[in-house]
């Protein structure tokens, strides 16, 4: 009897390890992709023209100090805004289709860390919005919510894209050529 239970658990473990990345990508697509794409859209006035809102979101203190005059900002600021904005478009798309999944998930995790630090330091998020782990409340927008975002990304970093991904198709094609 214990052998049957152990066999069933082994099969469950194998199934979970094989399909958890697909589930992580699905959840990312269902919950976060449109959030990041909508955020990116607020940062552009043109293909290569950052909106005032981009400066306000990414460099809030500096924009206020400059009297909301974006001409006070240089090429570095433009580059940071454009890289961050296009990352919000490209990285979710890569994760959804499962292409370059590990590096895309790693970059997305880094993006979320920077986003969180900007919210806390740059926008002076209040303690209720920041949250506190190991308290009774589970609804803080930064620490509570974003740690779940990171869990899915860490899954993809560790396990890759899983089945039904472009990464898997490339891997199969390369293994046939060898």
């Amino acid at each position: 009897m214990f052998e049957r239970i152990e066999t069933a658990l082994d099969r469950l473990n194998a199934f979970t390890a094989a399909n958890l990345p697909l589930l992580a990508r699905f959840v990312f697509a269902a919950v976060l992709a449109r959030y990041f794409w909508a955020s990116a859209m607020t940062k552009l006035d043109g293909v290569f023209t950052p909106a005032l809102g981009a400066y306000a979101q990414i460099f809030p203190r500096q924009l206020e100090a400059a009297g909301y005059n974006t001409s006070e900002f240089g090429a570095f600021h433009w580059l940071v805004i454009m890289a961050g904005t296009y990352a919000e478009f490209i990285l979710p798309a890569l994760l959804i289709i499962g292409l370059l999944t590990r590096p895309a998930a790693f970059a997305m995790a880094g993006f979320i860390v920077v986003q969180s630090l900007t919210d806390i330091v740059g926008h002076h998020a209040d303690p209720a919005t920041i949250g506190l782990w190991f308290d009774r409340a589970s609804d803080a927008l930064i620490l509570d919510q974003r740690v779940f975002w990171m869990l899915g990304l860490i899954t993809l970093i560790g396990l890759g894209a899983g089945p039904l991904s472009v990464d898997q198709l490339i891997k199969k094609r390369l293994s046939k050529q060898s």
Side-chain angles (χ1 to χ4, degrees), residues 98-112:
L99 176 62
L100 301 170
T101 304
R102 284 185 164 117
F106 187 79
M108 196 79 240
F111 186 95
I112 291 168

Side-chain angles (χ1 to χ4, degrees), residues 17-76:
N19 291 289
L20 186 60
L22 179 61
L23 180 60
R25 289 177 31 237
F26 175 81
V27 169
F28 183 90
V31 175
L32 293 173
R34 290 187 61 195
Y35 164 83
F36 283 108
W37 290 333
S39 173
M41 290 299 293
T42 67
K43 294 180 177 86
L44 293 176
D45 275 342
V47 177
F48 298 111
T49 308
L52 177 65
Y55 291 93
Q57 289 177 47
I58 298 172
F59 299 107
R61 288 184 179 183
Q62 287 178 301
L63 184 62
E64 185 178 358
Y68 298 93
N69 180 1
T70 58
S71 67
E72 298 288 319
F73 290 82
F76 169 77

Side-chain angles (χ1 to χ4, degrees), residues 12-25 95 98 100-103 105-106 150-163 165 167-168 171:
L12 179 62
N13 287 343
F15 177 83
T16 301
N19 291 289
L20 186 60
L22 179 61
L23 180 60
R25 289 177 31 237
L95 291 174
L100 301 170
T101 304
R102 284 185 164 117
F106 187 79
M150 296 295 277
L151 180 61
L153 294 170
I154 290 167
T155 299
L156 295 173
I157 292 167
L159 299 175
S165 66
D167 287 346
Q168 194 68 20
K171 183 179 176 182

Side-chain angles (χ1 to χ4, degrees), residues 38-154:
S39 173
M41 290 299 293
T42 67
K43 294 180 177 86
L44 293 176
D45 275 342
V47 177
F48 298 111
T49 308
L52 177 65
Y55 291 93
Q57 289 177 47
I58 298 172
F59 299 107
R61 288 184 179 183
Q62 287 178 301
L63 184 62
E64 185 178 358
Y68 298 93
N69 180 1
T70 58
S71 67
E72 298 288 319
F73 290 82
F76 169 77
H77 298 95
W78 179 88
L79 184 62
V80 168
I81 288 170
M82 297 311 292
T85 301
Y86 280 100
E88 283 186 295
F89 285 120
I90 295 166
L91 295 174
L94 290 174
L95 291 174
I96 290 169
I97 66 172
L99 176 62
L100 301 170
T101 304
R102 284 185 164 117
F106 187 79
M108 196 79 240
F111 186 95
I112 291 168
V113 168
V114 171
Q115 173 190 23
S116 299
L117 290 172
T118 301
D119 287 343
I120 292 168
V121 177
H123 293 286
H124 304 289
D126 63 271
T129 302
I130 296 169
L132 185 66
W133 286 343
F134 306 106
D135 63 357
R136 291 178 16 175
S138 63
D139 61 348
L141 292 176
I142 298 177
L143 288 181
D144 292 340
Q145 192 177 83
R146 291 180 188 168
V147 74
F148 282 109
W149 300 1
M150 296 295 277
L151 180 61
L153 294 170
I154 290 167

